[in-house]
Amino acid sequence: MPREFKGDIKLDVRDSKADWDAFLPDKPPQGAPNVLVVLYDDTGQAAWSTYGGRINMPTMERLAAGGLTYTQWHTTALCSPTRSTFLTGRNHHANGFATISESSTGFPGYNSHIPPQNATMANILRDAGWATFWVGKNHNVPIDEWTAGASKKNWPLGQGYDRFYGFIGGETNNWYPSLAEDNRYIDQPYTPEEGYHLSKDLADQALKMLRDVKQTEPDKPWYLWFCPGANHAPHHAPQEYIDKYKGVFDDGYEAYREWVLARMIEKGLLPEGTDLTELNPMPEGTFSETDRVRPWDELNDDEKRMFSRMAEVYAGFSEYTDAQVGRIVDYLEETGQLDNTIIFYCADNGASGEGSPNGSVNENKFFNGYPDDLAENLAMIDKLGSPDTYNHYPTGWATAFSTPFQMFKRYSQFSGGTCDPMVVHWPAGIKARGEIRNQYHHATDVPATILDLAGLEMPQAYRGVEQYPIDGISMRYSFDAQPDGPTRRHRQYYAMLGTRGIWEDGWKASAIHAPLTGHGRFDEDRWELYHVDEDRSESKDLAAEHPDKVKHLVDVWLEEAKANFALPLDDRSARDQLTIERPQAEPARTRYVYYPGTTAIPESVAVNVRGRSYKIVADVDLGADAEGVLFAHGSRFGGHTLFVKDHKLHYVYNFLGIPPEQHFESGELTPGPHALGVEFERQSAGENGESIGVARLYVDDRVVDEGPMRAQIGKFTLSGDGLCVGYDSADAVSRQYEGTSFPFTGGKLLGVGIDVSEEQYLDLEREAQAALARE
């Protein structure tokens, strides 16, 4: 805040007295700590070696040996909502993040715009003199602000971070990521063939930022939020890390659950007598079949081999990323910064069940409501984790890695979705070494803890706006407490995609309602009751024995829901939520014109061709050697592209990466001006809702090729591989030019028009040419 000028101003500067203190920024207290938060994605407690799992995490184990391991630290059950709590210390609905940004709706708790009443922790730290950095996954920019031309007030720099390097959406290809630096989109610095992997790149960038601060302001404390793409799908890792786990998971996920539960009890992370929950605990008819787990002994040999390999890839991905975090920790030790750096090493929700019962070599099938095919997956078994796959393990491993709890990510009423790993390391401030803490904590507690340790408070007003109280409580009391000392948090509500739960003083009520089912009828849901202080796995339903306790907790849940803007409840399917039409900065229209020499446009704000007829026309002047991409959107895992190659016009629609590519081709093109385009006429819906119709390829006013085609009704991707004109971004849509962005050369591309109305193709051709001629 501005300070009063206490100097003296006269007519002559020689008679005046300066006061620099009125203008200089605040300085942090002497000896103020650095803060490093490492936030993984999609990881249950039972996955990592620190908690008894089979995935080796040497860096995390090193930090746990010198710090504390928490057994009852909880999240919201989904990534964007949890990350919003890390930003502000308020509950996720109060932040407007009931769900991911892509599923936002026009309600206070669901709109994905953090309100000004919730100042971010980074703003408070930066104002107090800390350097602030965000590296890796974001997923908290509202979907209407993803474009290059949109306001950047909700991008990391607008939220209090001095620097940002990472990706804006919920996931990205680790070999060909969609990257942003500060307030702009950028290309990846080098290719997989040159050794690129996102986890390594993120660590490189984080180290550069820290070294820059150390070099110029060696005494300035810093806050680094490091958010790798791991362990979110796609599961990508260098082959040598995948090979380290060959055969490790061959006994299957049910055997793993039994094995790891015993290990967790032996390590003191769970009490003796903790029971294992059922493999499929949800009653028939209450949950989506895509969340079912297939018993291991019902799988054939090929399925067992495939599923085991998928777990091996996931493990390699996790350990490889831990090694990159280790590079940061090593640097801190080498430079004498480790002792006074508070490190939180954690994950944002439980293991992911988005791979369906059969796993997937292309996770985007889940978001399109399209089933996986075992034969297709088996054909890719030796390429899992490579740039050729966008893989995700089956639901059985999600359940195993969330042992001993029920269900997994998205299920906020069960600890399988919310009870996640957390290690805290701070040698200068924590006396205990290698100990366990069983106090109940929540993601909102992390900002409260950081502010407490930094000697700061969330102000009552910030930038002229009265603030909502912070919901988290500092975990500092637990640092030197007894492992089973009393918990200072007394209540936490949960709500996610129609699921609901409420914890209060060691008791928990859980509504039996699955996410994304579209069932509705929330008032008819049955609630179960668990005494979590005595039944950590939530395996014994006590609702019949304590009906008054159930009623009380359900009433408390509704009270908390209203106070935190958690209503109305929304359990619509992923496909329905992801394809909701949302407001954009520009009025809705049916015709779009895009130009070369521009940044790729994120799918969420590009023209929507899903589930409808469309027409695309490029206005070009071809030279004798013209070639390259005119229009492209998507990747090898789903997308479409219009390009010139070998003097011919080509249109490829790559349906969810399923071979063969749907390919349409012209005869030889003549040099000179042309309107080159394609029309898709949607005629019906397929068995899984996909669009069925006919595609026609045009050169000027002539149809030069046509035939049947199917098209996706869900998104091409959740992040990256946007709509491009004059090139293809990152991972190529078509194998006919893979390994390159195949930029258009040898001619002039004026622009590309796209129409989603019912107008005739030739009308669009004439209008597009006229519009482009005026530019």
Side-chain angles (χ1 to χ4, degrees):
M1 300 295 291
R3 290 187 289 270
E4 180 185 356
F5 176 75
K6 295 182 178 180
D8 192 14
I9 300 176
K10 303 293 186 182
L11 179 64
D12 191 324
V13 69
R14 283 168 287 271
D15 299 324
S16 303
K17 180 182 178 182
D19 178 19
W20 277 109
D21 288 342
F23 311 107
L24 294 177
D26 288 342
K27 289 188 176 181
Q30 187 69 27
N34 304 311
V35 183
L36 169 61
V37 176
V38 179
L39 186 63
Y40 273 66
D41 223 315
D42 291 3
T43 306
Q45 283 192 351
W48 286 342
S49 54
T50 311
Y51 283 80
R54 292 180 186 168
I55 300 176
N56 294 318
M57 303 290 284
T59 302
M60 189 186 198
E61 289 201 53
R62 170 187 174 188
L63 297 174
L68 302 171
T69 299
Y70 284 79
T71 65
Q72 293 197 82
W73 182 76
H74 294 77
T75 62
T76 71
L78 202 61
C79 46
S80 287
T82 295
R83 289 160 194 271
S84 81
T85 69
F86 273 73
L87 278 167
T88 74
R90 281 80 166 192
N91 284 316
H92 58 298
H93 291 92
N95 292 322
F97 273 95
T99 178
I100 59 176
S101 179
E102 295 91 332
S103 299
S104 58
T105 54
F107 296 96
Y110 289 72
N111 66 85
S112 79
H113 293 71
I114 294 175
Q117 292 90 340
N118 291 356
T120 67
M121 180 190 60
N123 268 317
I124 306 306
L125 285 172
R126 183 167 67 177
D127 290 352
W130 271 256
T132 54
F133 307 119
W134 187 341
V135 176
K137 176 173 174 173
N138 173 278
H139 214 195
N140 286 110
V141 172
I143 200 164
D144 54 292
E145 296 181 11
W146 283 22
T147 60
S151 164
K152 300 299 184 292
K153 68 179 182 179
N154 287 304
W155 282 48
L157 269 61
Q159 296 288 353
Y161 291 85
D162 295 323
R163 294 294 315 278
F164 171 70
Y165 184 95
F167 56 101
I168 295 299
E171 66 181 42
T172 196
N173 189 318
N174 293 278
W175 300 112
Y176 295 99
S178 171
L179 290 175
E181 184 174 34
D182 297 332
N183 280 340
R184 64 191 181 94
Y185 291 108
I186 62 170
D187 294 328
Q188 67 187 87
Y190 52 102
T191 67
E193 290 76 18
E194 297 167 315
Y196 185 89
H197 187 283
L198 179 62
S199 295
K200 179 178 182 296
D201 185 23
L202 295 179
D204 289 343
Q205 298 297 329
L207 286 167
K208 186 175 186 298
M209 293 178 190
L210 296 181
R211 285 170 176 146
D212 284 348
V213 173
K214 184 68 174 176
Q215 174 176 262
T216 57
E217 286 88 22
D219 295 327
K220 186 174 187 177
W222 46 262
Y223 166 62
L224 169 62
W225 193 8
F226 186 79
C227 307
N231 285 317
H232 200 292
H235 302 152
H236 287 153
Q239 193 63 43
E240 62 267 28
Y241 274 83
I242 298 172
D243 290 345
K244 292 173 72 171
Y245 289 91
K246 186 174 179 60
V248 167
F249 301 99
D250 283 356
D251 54 346
Y253 34 74
E254 289 172 80
Y256 183 93
R257 295 181 81 213
E258 298 280 355
W259 174 87
V260 77
L261 175 58
R263 293 261 298 170
M264 296 173 85
I265 293 172
E266 179 184 344
K267 290 173 73 73
L269 298 161
L270 292 171
E272 288 284 349
T274 298
D275 291 330
L276 198 61
T277 54
E278 295 180 32
L279 196 66
N280 287 297
M282 293 288 288
E284 289 289 338
T286 63
F287 71 106
S288 169
E289 285 299 305
T290 58
D291 284 348
R292 179 179 295 281
V293 176
R294 298 177 61 196
W296 190 259
D297 61 7
E298 293 181 8
L299 305 178
N300 62 41
D301 289 344
D302 284 339
E303 289 169 330
K304 290 178 179 178
R305 184 164 57 95
M306 169 64 73
F307 292 5
S308 297
R309 187 59 170 172
M310 287 176 166
E312 294 168 14
V313 173
Y314 176 81
F317 184 25
S318 197
E319 184 180 343
Y320 175 71
T321 303
D322 178 81
Q324 306 314 307
V325 177
R327 294 170 55 211
I328 298 174
V329 174
D330 287 344
Y331 165 75
L332 297 180
E333 185 171 44
E334 292 163 5
T335 55
Q337 299 182 73
L338 184 60
D339 278 0
N340 199 28
T341 298
I342 309 156
I343 301 178
F344 297 84
Y345 198 128
C346 46
D348 68 0
N349 49 242
S352 171
E354 287 151 16
S356 79
N358 297 316
S360 182
V361 298
N362 181 4
E363 183 218 18
N364 201 34
K365 289 181 178 179
F366 172 86
F367 297 109
N368 276 263
Y370 200 87
D372 272 278
D373 181 271
L374 177 62
E376 290 176 12
N377 290 355
L378 281 170
M380 304 297 289
I381 191 169
D382 293 329
K383 295 185 177 181
L384 290 173
S386 77
D388 291 319
T389 57
Y390 208 89
N391 45 295
H392 194 307
Y393 57 50
T395 49
W397 288 117
T399 297
F401 293 142
S402 296
T403 300
F405 309 118
Q406 300 183 66
M407 303 310 289
F408 32 72
K409 175 182 175 181
R410 294 178 281 115
Y411 286 82
S412 73
Q413 74 271 55
F414 299 129
S415 285
T418 67
C419 192
D420 298 307
M422 162 71 83
V423 163
V424 180
H425 181 272
W426 185 30
I430 300 176
K431 296 177 183 177
R433 298 288 185 271
E435 294 187 8
I436 291 168
R437 291 293 181 267
N438 294 313
Q439 289 79 15
Y440 194 99
H441 285 290
H442 185 260
T444 53
D445 297 341
V446 173
T449 307
I450 293 171
L451 292 176
D452 181 14
L453 301 180
L456 304 172
E457 293 182 356
M458 190 65 69
Q460 291 185 345
Y462 186 74
R463 295 179 180 173
V465 179
E466 186 174 348
Q467 295 293 291
Y468 292 143
I470 195 167
D471 292 305
I473 66 165
S474 175
M475 300 166 66
R476 187 175 194 166
Y477 78 91
S478 68
F479 287 177
D480 292 307
Q482 291 298 312
D484 293 311
T487 296
R488 293 187 182 176
R489 174 177 278 276
H490 297 290
R491 179 187 292 180
Q492 180 61 45
Y493 85 97
Y494 295 92
M496 180 61 58
L497 304 170
T499 69
R500 290 103 75 213
I502 179 75
W503 176 91
E504 185 180 65
D505 294 329
W507 289 83
K508 183 177 181 181
S510 302
I512 302 306
H513 195 114
L516 305 174
T517 58
H519 284 178
R521 306 188 301 278
F522 300 103
D523 56 336
E524 300 175 8
D525 288 339
R526 177 174 60 86
W527 289 71
E528 295 185 344
L529 178 69
Y530 309 108
H531 192 187
V532 180
D533 279 356
E534 297 181 2
D535 173 25
R536 286 276 295 283
S537 63
E538 301 168 5
S539 61
K540 301 175 183 67
D541 177 18
L542 304 177
E545 299 172 34
H546 302 281
D548 290 344
K549 173 69 77 173
V550 175
K551 183 181 184 308
H552 165 72
L553 289 175
V554 172
D555 289 344
V556 167
W557 181 88
L558 187 58
E559 174 187 326
E560 291 289 311
K562 290 178 178 178
N564 286 279
F565 312 106
L567 302 178
L569 298 174
D570 188 350
D571 66 353
R572 288 175 292 178
S573 72
R575 188 169 67 192
D576 287 345
Q577 291 197 31
L578 292 173
T579 55
I580 292 171
E581 291 289 342
R582 295 177 176 85
Q584 297 185 18
E586 294 294 318
R589 57 193 191 276
T590 57
R591 294 192 177 181
Y592 297 74
V593 179
Y594 297 109
Y595 301 95
T598 53
T599 302
I601 301 167
E603 184 170 3
S604 58
V605 288
V607 57
N608 178 10
V609 300
R610 300 184 298 270
R612 65 207 308 181
S613 300
Y614 60 85
K615 296 161 279 288
I616 303 170
V617 59
D619 195 7
V620 298
D621 191 345
L622 300 177
D625 298 318
E627 68 170 5
V629 170
L630 304 173
F631 164 92
H633 192 186
S635 72
R636 77 177 78 188
F637 305 109
H640 58 152
T641 176
L642 186 70
F643 60 97
V644 176
K645 184 181 179 186
D646 298 328
H647 306 289
K648 297 177 181 179
L649 176 66
H650 303 259
Y651 177 68
V652 165
Y653 195 105
N654 192 339
F655 182 81
L656 289 169
I658 300 171
E661 297 177 347
Q662 299 172 104
H663 181 212
F664 303 87
E665 178 181 329
S666 75
E668 188 162 323
L669 299 169
T670 59
H674 290 285
L676 306 177
V678 65
E679 173 184 31
F680 173 66
E681 179 186 348
R682 185 180 189 275
Q683 298 172 333
S684 63
E687 181 180 352
N688 297 289
E690 69 275 22
S691 294
I692 303 296
V694 60
R696 302 181 185 91
L697 191 66
Y698 282 85
V699 173
D700 300 319
D701 57 355
R702 294 180 298 110
V703 176
V704 295
D705 195 9
E706 66 179 307
M709 194 184 92
R710 59 178 177 170
Q712 295 176 207
I713 58 171
K715 293 194 172 189
F716 295 130
T717 177
L718 290 190
S719 177
D721 295 303
L723 186 155
C724 305
V725 172
Y727 68 103
D728 193 350
S729 67
D731 199 16
V733 171
S734 174
R735 292 190 179 276
Q736 295 191 47
Y737 58 85
E738 66 180 338
T740 173
S741 63
F742 201 31
F744 181 74
T745 58
K748 185 174 183 180
L749 172 59
L750 298 177
V752 174
I754 303 175
D755 187 284
V756 289
S757 71
E758 298 302 319
E759 299 291 334
Q760 295 296 310
Y761 174 86
L762 295 179
D763 291 339
L764 170 66
E765 176 197 5
R766 286 187 288 270
E767 185 169 319
Q769 286 180 308
L772 291 166
R774 291 192 295 269
E775 293 295 329

